[in-house]
Amino acid sequence: NPEVFPLGTAVRLPPGGVLHLQLHYTANGQAGTDRTRVGMIFAKEPPEEEMRVSQFLNGQFTIPAGASNYEVSTDVTFAQDATLVGLFPHTHVRGKRWSYTLELPDGSSKSILSVPRYDFNWQTYYMFQEPLQIPKGARIRSTAWYDNSAANRSNPDPTINVKWGDQTWEEMQYTGIMYSVKRP
């Protein structure tokens, strides 16, 4: 799906900058074709705010063979005030649900995103209707749950332990994050 940024924002691509695209293909025994397309709209004038696109992840986990509700968490802490625009949860075929909690510097916390029935075939940024103001020192905790059991019809092999990897038969606990910070 196209990503449409809030009015007055843009992602900076410096002169000579390079765009990297990552496509994952899994062999299925049949020849195939791909018609990848990328479209960009360039700002007509300098934006008021620079949109930043990054990620945070946990690459150090092992999902036990047969586990039907295995939890993997990680977090990111903000070093300065920010405006959070969207989150992109990503697991592979064992991923079953996600939750995101904002933990504020005063010790309070609140749920900011829940994906109760994650589907690998529907990967998208979840854009907040109203961007969230995140104070310096706040942290976002992401938690993903996995089904590595035989009951998961998408599971390629419920008899093995699963670690981080790029291939669909491996797993990820990855979050794309889209945010901006105020210029000094």
Side-chain angles (χ1 to χ4, degrees), residues 62-68 92-95 146-163 167-171:
T62 302
I63 304 168
S68 65
H92 292 163
V93 296
R94 292 172 184 89
Y146 301 83
D147 183 353
N148 192 21
S149 74
N152 177 357
R153 292 184 295 178
S154 299
N155 191 352
D157 188 350
T159 66
I160 62 169
N161 294 338
V162 180
K163 296 182 179 292
Q167 298 299 321
T168 305
W169 61 81
E170 299 166 311
E171 268 304 339

Side-chain angles (χ1 to χ4, degrees), residues 92-150:
H92 292 163
V93 296
R94 292 172 184 89
K96 62 188 275 186
R97 66 185 171 108
W98 279 85
S99 75
Y100 293 86
T101 302
L102 176 63
E103 299 172 353
L104 297 167
D106 67 6
S108 64
S109 64
K110 66 179 180 176
S111 174
I112 58 172
L113 177 64
S114 174
V115 183
R117 287 177 298 283
Y118 178 82
D119 186 334
F120 175 72
N121 296 302
W122 192 55
Q123 298 181 36
T124 188
Y125 261 97
Y126 290 84
M127 304 296 280
F128 296 105
Q129 196 166 20
E130 288 293 322
L132 302 177
Q133 299 308 308
I134 310 291
K136 176 182 177 178
R139 144 176 115 145
I140 295 176
R141 182 160 195 73
S142 72
T143 305
W145 287 266
Y146 301 83
D147 183 353
N148 192 21
S149 74

